[in-house]
Amino acid sequence: SASVATKNTVATAPVLRDSAASDAYIAYGGGALPFYVFIDADGNVVRRSSGELDVATLETYMQEIAG
């Protein structure tokens, strides 16, 4: 799990460590590194993002998942 803390939010979420062959990266349609996949509690991919995320954007994405 990884914890993300901003001034407005603290969230803990599971983190997937990919294989040496990048199986998850390929399966989720990775385009550039770093690559993020946001998955809701029902297992649905809500958003994919490539490249650096600033704190405000990450917080917005986490709030979308939380509902």
Side-chain angles (χ1 to χ4, degrees), residues 37-47 62 64-67:
V37 180
F38 296 87
I39 301 171
D40 67 15
D42 296 323
N44 300 307
V45 174
V46 175
R47 181 182 295 277
M62 295 297 285
E64 287 175 1
I65 292 171

Side-chain angles (χ1 to χ4, degrees), residues 33-67:
L33 293 176
F35 181 68
Y36 303 90
V37 180
F38 296 87
I39 301 171
D40 67 15
D42 296 323
N44 300 307
V45 174
V46 175
R47 181 182 295 277
R48 294 178 183 92
S49 179
S50 294
E52 187 176 334
L53 292 178
D54 60 40
V55 172
T57 302
L58 181 58
E59 187 174 59
T60 297
Y61 293 171
M62 295 297 285
Q63 288 174 352
E64 287 175 1
I65 292 171

Side-chain angles (χ1 to χ4, degrees), residues 9-39:
T9 305
V10 175
T12 301
V15 174
L16 170 70
R17 181 175 178 189
D18 205 352
S19 69
S22 301
D23 295 322
Y25 179 79
I26 293 165
Y28 282 108
L33 293 176
F35 181 68
Y36 303 90
V37 180
F38 296 87
I39 301 171

